[in-house]
Amino acid sequence: MGAMGSRAITRHFAVAMLVLVTMAMLIAPLGQLLLVSLRDESAGWTLANYRIVLAGSYYVSSLAATLAFCAITSLIAVGIALPAAWRIGTGGVGSTALRIFCQMNYAFGSIVYGMLILVLFGNAGLIPVAEGILFSSEYSRGFAYTISGLALGYLGFQIPRSALVIAQAIENMDPNLIRAARTLGADRLQIAVMVILPTLRPALSAAFVLTFLMSVGSFGIALLVAKEIAIYPVIIFKEFTGFANFGIASAMAIALCLLVILVLMVLRRNYPDLELFSSQAR
């Protein structure tokens, strides 16, 4: 009884600490944002900030552009990550080094990739300078500040994370499926299209959703290089730090948070087998 009682106390303590940490790091900040978004110095409690955010063409168009941009880059990232994920999942040559490289991605914030894009493709970046020396041209100068440069920065952190999600599913895939397909005379293309991709569909969907949601909240890269597109989190940052529009910035943050929650709820309801929500996903 003493050992069982000690384990019970330990579990209760762990649960209590988890609740406290969650309240301190999530619920309390969100509650503060909600209060700020609903108050006005002159009018008191008001929904004016939400009317501006949800009806203003600038804010709505930037949100739509951000969602479209993140969806497209996430889809591209999943496609590019598939070969790397296959190498990691099947344990091919260099798979360990490739896995470590992808895991290192979690140690860097998105702003690191923004700095990398600037170092490589900025106006005084390595590639424009080398191009000028070797070819006396300036085609790559300023590439970092285009939407293609921004997409390249996003793909830098999207691809490794997508690869790890897909690789986990590949590791758990039944190899007998591929052997059976070969026995029936299927070639490599047929195996890939008719066996591997359908089997990995939940993992591919989960990688896309995770990458998309992560990208929607990222602003480090866009803060440094976004010139051709208004990224929603960057607007929140500028409204808060640049213009001191705390009510507007808070309303935008709450709206973005609710949108992400809504997306997750819709996906969970309509795609319960998605690996992202599976109780068996590790």
Side-chain angles (χ1 to χ4, degrees):
M1 291 295 293
M4 294 179 60
S6 177
R7 287 196 295 268
I9 292 174
T10 302
R11 286 197 299 269
H12 292 155
F13 177 77
V15 171
M17 291 301 298
L18 179 61
V19 171
L20 289 176
V21 171
T22 302
M23 291 181 64
M25 300 186 65
L26 181 62
I27 298 177
L30 284 177
Q32 182 64 24
L33 281 177
L34 183 60
L35 291 176
V36 173
S37 68
L38 292 173
R39 289 191 64 85
D40 185 88
E41 294 182 358
S42 59
W45 297 100
T46 178
L47 293 174
N49 293 323
Y50 287 95
R51 284 195 291 268
I52 294 173
V53 169
L54 298 177
S57 59
Y58 173 67
Y59 300 109
V60 174
S61 61
S62 65
L63 178 59
T66 300
L67 294 177
F69 175 81
C70 292
I72 292 172
T73 54
S74 297
L75 186 62
I76 295 173
V78 170
I80 297 176
L82 190 54
W86 184 261
R87 174 71 64 174
I88 295 173
T90 56
V93 178
S95 60
T96 301
L98 190 57
R99 181 188 296 274
I100 293 174
F101 174 79
C102 292
Q103 290 173 338
M104 287 174 57
N105 176 270
Y106 287 94
F108 305 123
S110 61
I111 197 168
V112 174
Y113 293 93
M115 293 298 298
L116 180 62
I117 291 296
L118 286 177
V119 169
L120 291 176
F121 296 102
N123 291 329
L126 295 176
I127 292 179
V129 170
E131 180 190 354
I133 294 173
L134 296 175
F135 305 105
S136 299
S137 60
E138 298 182 345
Y139 293 112
S140 62
R141 188 176 298 276
F143 174 80
Y145 304 104
T146 65
I147 193 170
S148 298
L150 180 63
L152 184 62
Y154 270 70
L155 290 172
F157 67 85
Q158 290 174 331
I159 292 173
R161 302 187 185 192
S162 297
L164 290 176
V165 174
I166 301 170
Q168 182 179 346
I170 293 175
E171 291 173 348
N172 297 328
M173 188 170 62
D174 186 359
N176 291 323
L177 295 175
I178 298 178
R179 296 193 189 103
R182 288 173 178 168
T183 302
L184 294 174
D187 56 28
R188 290 185 176 182
L189 180 60
Q190 290 174 324
I191 293 174
V193 174
M194 302 179 66
V195 178
I196 296 176
L197 288 181
T199 303
L200 295 179
R201 184 171 58 183
L204 295 173
S205 301
F208 171 78
V209 172
L210 287 172
T211 305
F212 171 74
L213 295 177
M214 175 185 62
S215 302
V216 168
S218 176
F219 77 100
I221 299 176
L223 185 64
L224 293 177
V225 302
K227 303 296 183 184
E228 296 183 355
I229 182 174
I231 298 297
Y232 202 71
V234 174
I235 297 177
I236 297 176
F237 178 80
K238 291 181 178 179
E239 289 287 345
F240 189 85
T241 62
F243 306 112
N245 291 332
F246 303 124
I248 295 294
S250 299
M252 293 176 68
I254 292 295
L256 185 60
C257 181
L258 291 177
L259 177 63
V260 170
I261 293 174
L262 178 62
V263 170
L264 288 173
M265 290 177 61
V266 171
L267 288 173
R268 187 179 184 88
R269 179 174 181 178
N270 293 286
Y271 302 97
D273 296 331
L274 191 64
E275 196 163 302
L276 181 64
F277 309 115
S278 175
S279 59
Q280 298 178 349
R282 294 180 296 174

